[in-house]
Amino acid sequence: MNRKVTLVAEDGLSLPFAALIIHTGDGDQYQRTDNAGNIVIPRFGTNAVTVKDPRYVGKTWAKSEIGKELVVGRTVLGAGLDSLADKLLKRAKE
């Protein structure tokens, strides 16, 4: 009854904790992706999916455009935060 969708940036990296709006016949559902950029949405009744996060360029996919993977562009804020996270979250040398 549900399907898994992965959100990725244009560079191929997943989008952890991205804010989404799932547009259904019953109204809008506000959700976030998990730490790997995955989200589970209803297979039937979903009219569109919208990315609504300041780190990523807002985009809406119609029902026919929703596949297993949705590609999103990063904003200047998102690119800056991701580069900062890469620097700060590197593994300690063993």
Side-chain angles (χ1 to χ4, degrees), residues 20-24 26-31 40-42 46 50:
L20 300 172
I21 303 171
I22 313 300
H23 306 282
T24 65
D26 296 333
D28 294 340
Q29 299 174 7
Y30 296 86
Q31 297 183 14
V40 176
I41 63 172
T46 299
T50 301

Side-chain angles (χ1 to χ4, degrees), residues 10-47:
E10 293 166 337
D11 59 7
L13 298 176
S14 64
L15 305 182
F17 310 112
L20 300 172
I21 303 171
I22 313 300
H23 306 282
T24 65
D26 296 333
D28 294 340
Q29 299 174 7
Y30 296 86
Q31 297 183 14
R32 287 194 176 270
T33 58
D34 63 9
N35 61 348
N38 299 314
I39 190 161
V40 176
I41 63 172
R43 183 173 299 278
F44 305 105
T46 299
N47 299 328

